[in-house]
Each structure stands twice: as structure tokens, then as C-alpha cells.
Amino acid sequence: MEWSSLSLLPWALVAVVSLPPAVLDFLYRSVPEHLWYVGGKVVAVISFLIYLKIYPFRLLTMFYLESLAAPAAVGASVAMGLMGAGDLWASLAVSLMLPAPPPGSLMPPSLLVILLAAAMELVSRPLVTAATAAKLGLRARGLSMSVPCDMAHRVRWWFPEGASAVKEVPSESISRACQGGGEVRLQVGMPFVTFILIALPLALVLELTLFRVP
């Protein structure tokens, strides 16, 4: 097997490990951390051994350091209440499983994957908000909407408005906010891990085309 082909194996393994969390994130907006902890550690070791055959140890160390930029940015967003802890686990796992670009590429893969996932989330957020409001016969106000409590559990991925909401399971946070009845103002929490899975093949295409050294 050529080293150029071998370097693509970690991408396939990351996709396999990311699939179950992505499905759970899409369906329930909740991902058990052990999925990343177990699968991420196994693939991280395999990736390290593969990349150690391709790159000198000193260069590989630099790639690892560069790849930590992505989880650092996600960690800052989590600290500000903009993202959940599961998103941080996902970005950290990707950075450790996919620390180095394919030979001849320049862009740290984890940074590219997270950037693409974030871009897709930002674009889809207002679209999902508008579409959900129209479906329920409600009026969106920015990136949130007021929903009668008897209708609140009909929406997927939505949390009561507030910084702490993204750290909770949607159904539990809605039930707590609706204890007194009436209406609850909801904001959409997009399945970021699902976007990471979608971003993986896109990032690989960019690594092999746009970001290759002439």
C-alpha cells in the first residue's frame, strides 16, 4: 500500500467512529461521551502509528499542536454557552484522530472539518428557524420563536432561550421551562456532530485539491 493511500485510512476510521454519535445527535441532541472516549482513543492510536510512518516525529508533533486549535475554539464557545460539552468532545476526538493532512496538503484537517461544520450550522440555523415557525403557524423573531407549551415538544433540536439550555437535553429543559404553562421562547440547537460527519468528505476533497502544495 502506498503511503498516500495509507494516509486516507484515518479519514475512513474517523467517519466510522463519528457515525453513531452523529445519528444520536440528529435524533436526540444528546451523545454519550463514552462513544468518543472509546472509539476516539482506538482510532487516535491507529492514526498516530500510520502518520508516524509518513511524517518525521518532529513534524507530526507540530501537526498535533496545530490540530488543537479547533477544540480550543469550540471550548471557548462552550464556555460562553454557545455550544454543548458534547461538541467539545467531538472536536477534541477529531483533532486527535485526524491530526495530520494527507501528504502534500497544508491545512490541519480537524480545523478544516470544524470550520466547515460551523459554516453549515450557521447557514442552516435561520433556515430551520423560519421553516419550523412556518410549519407550526408561528412567527420567528430572529433565531428564536415563542411556542405555546402544549406545542413545544413537537419541535426537534429546540431549547428554551438561555445560555445554559445548550447543555441540557431538549425535552428535559422544555418540561422545566413549561412547568407554569403558557408560552416558552425557544432557540434552535443544531446537531453539530452530524455536521462534522457531513464535513469529513468535504474536507478531504479540499485537502486533496485546494490545499495541496503545487
Side-chain angles (χ1 to χ4, degrees):
M1 182 184 295
E2 297 179 1
W3 293 133
S4 58
S5 300
L6 185 62
S7 67
L8 300 182
L9 179 58
W11 291 79
L13 294 176
V14 172
V16 171
V17 170
S18 301
L19 182 58
V23 172
L24 291 175
D25 196 31
F26 182 84
L27 294 176
Y28 308 112
R29 291 300 285 111
S30 180
V31 179
E33 294 176 355
H34 71 268
L35 290 179
W36 292 116
Y37 184 75
V38 176
K41 287 181 68 174
V42 172
V43 176
V45 172
I46 295 174
S47 295
F48 174 76
L49 295 176
I50 289 174
Y51 287 124
L52 194 59
K53 293 178 178 295
I54 302 173
Y55 296 109
F57 181 76
R58 182 175 298 180
L59 181 58
L60 184 57
T61 301
M62 185 187 72
F63 282 141
Y64 271 100
L65 292 176
E66 290 177 346
S67 70
L68 293 178
V74 174
S77 297
V78 172
M80 293 185 290
L82 302 176
M83 302 180 75
D87 301 329
L88 176 59
W89 274 96
S91 63
L92 181 59
V94 171
S95 70
L96 294 177
M97 292 187 292
L98 208 59
S105 298
L106 295 173
M107 186 73 165
S110 62
L111 183 58
L112 183 55
V113 170
I114 298 303
L115 284 175
L116 289 172
M120 287 187 286
E121 181 184 17
L122 289 175
V123 170
S124 61
R125 189 179 293 268
L127 299 177
V128 171
T129 301
T132 303
K135 180 180 179 180
L136 297 177
L138 302 173
R139 184 177 180 179
R141 187 178 302 171
L143 295 179
S144 63
M145 62 182 181
S146 293
V147 182
C149 282
D150 58 355
M151 298 173 59
H153 287 286
R154 292 169 53 188
V155 294
R156 178 183 291 175
W157 306 335
W158 291 76
F159 298 82
E161 196 171 42
S164 63
V166 295
K167 302 177 182 179
E168 300 173 323
V169 176
S171 58
E172 296 176 357
S173 58
I174 289 175
S175 296
R176 185 159 43 253
C178 282
Q179 288 179 350
E183 291 187 341
V184 58
R185 191 151 195 85
L186 300 179
Q187 61 183 7
V188 65
M190 300 300 292
F192 189 69
V193 180
T194 304
F195 286 123
I196 287 178
L197 182 63
I198 298 172
L200 277 170
L202 299 178
L204 180 57
V205 170
L206 291 176
E207 290 279 10
L208 297 177
T209 55
L210 184 63
F211 294 107
R212 288 192 69 82
V213 179

